Amino acid sequence: MTESNNQRISVLFMFFGILFCVCLITANVLETKQISFGPMNMTAGLIVFPVSYIINDVVCEVWGYGRTRLLIWLGFAMNFLFVIFGAIADWIPGAPYWHGEEGFHQIFGLAPRIAAASFLAFLAGSFVNAYVMSRMKISSEGRNFSLRAVLSTVFGELTDSIIFFPLALGGVIPWEEMPSLVITQVTLKTLYEIAVLPLTIRVVKFTKAHDHEDVFDHDITYNIFKINKL
């Protein structure tokens, strides 16, 4: 199958879209907490953020790059809306009897520098992930989904981390620590993807069978701004 029936609304696609947006917004909140696993320090956003890349892989594998492009921009818009509303609520003075101002600010008072770095890194990483997934599916004629899922995540997460950490934390943490921080994040997120790969494969098989979709992206545009080109 080379193209999707765009006139039919897929309940599963809607579900993945909602889950994608929820994961991105949740990751924003969890990023405010620092956690440790043995000698490794990271943000709690690591718990949920890789799920967005798994959803990216599933949607691109089943419905193609066009639908994935729509999903990425939808996630960006909903995440941006969440950050804006949170910033407005943080800016409005709290009631005299309320004493949670400091904790609320730590969660919703996202610095403009970090917010901009986060949005830019998300867009770049997500589109790289989708592009690699799409091109590899064509070149492999639909085989080796596991390899495609892992490699697309590596490229996507690497792009995300290379953009986010220097822009958001450059000058805050020593520059010599930046490469190890990037490598640690990419490694952990890729291991996350590998760990849940058996579940991802089952979800892909079920979704293809349920929606009778298995799109190959022949003769499409990879322009990220062509949202109407499904």
Side-chain angles (χ1 to χ4, degrees):
M1 182 179 298
T2 59
E3 61 180 349
S4 167
N5 180 5
N6 296 317
Q7 303 303 316
R8 182 167 61 87
I9 298 176
S10 168
V11 174
L12 285 177
F13 180 75
M14 290 175 61
F15 168 76
F16 285 126
I18 294 169
L19 183 60
F20 187 73
C21 293
V22 169
C23 287
L24 293 178
I25 292 171
T26 303
N28 257 0
V29 177
L30 297 185
E31 286 289 332
T32 60
K33 181 176 181 177
Q34 301 290 315
I35 59 176
S36 297
F37 283 106
M40 296 183 296
N41 298 320
M42 63 205 73
T43 62
L46 183 66
I47 298 173
V48 67
F49 188 75
V51 178
S52 66
Y53 276 79
I54 295 171
I55 297 172
N56 188 316
D57 288 343
V58 172
V59 172
C60 194
E61 174 70 15
V62 177
W63 291 285
Y65 180 86
R67 290 285 181 91
T68 310
R69 175 172 48 206
L70 175 63
L71 186 72
I72 293 170
W73 280 114
L74 180 63
F76 175 86
M78 295 302 101
N79 202 14
F80 182 78
L81 195 62
F82 170 80
V83 170
I84 292 298
F85 284 150
I88 293 173
D90 185 54
W91 175 74
I92 299 173
Y97 55 83
W98 186 64
H99 304 292
E101 191 77 38
E102 182 178 351
F104 190 90
H105 179 73
Q106 288 180 343
I107 297 175
F108 294 99
L110 196 62
R113 175 185 178 184
I114 295 178
S118 176
F119 286 132
L120 182 59
F122 160 72
L123 284 177
S126 296
F127 277 116
V128 166
N129 182 86
Y131 177 81
V132 172
M133 191 72 180
S134 173
R135 298 303 300 175
M136 287 188 68
K137 182 175 182 179
I138 294 174
S139 63
S140 68
E141 298 182 343
R143 297 186 295 271
N144 303 319
F145 170 77
S146 298
L147 179 63
R148 291 187 279 114
V150 172
L151 287 181
S152 64
T153 295
V154 170
F155 282 106
E157 295 287 5
L158 186 60
T159 302
D160 184 290
S161 297
I162 287 175
I163 292 174
F164 176 77
F165 288 110
L167 290 181
L169 302 175
V172 178
I173 64 173
W175 285 103
E176 58 269 20
E177 296 294 327
M178 201 70 71
S180 64
L181 185 60
V182 169
I183 292 172
T184 298
Q185 289 287 318
V186 173
T187 300
L188 290 175
K189 291 176 180 179
T190 303
L191 290 175
Y192 190 132
E193 166 101 17
I194 294 172
V196 300
L197 196 53
L199 176 61
T200 306
I201 293 172
R202 289 179 178 271
V203 170
V204 167
K205 288 182 177 180
F206 172 81
T207 305
K208 286 181 177 181
H210 183 275
D211 273 23
H212 306 290
E213 295 276 17
D214 189 6
V215 174
F216 285 77
D217 292 316
H218 297 299
D219 302 321
I220 69 162
T221 174
Y222 285 100
N223 186 330
I224 67 172
F225 299 108
K226 296 288 186 178
I227 306 176
N228 61 319
K229 299 293 184 180
L230 297 178

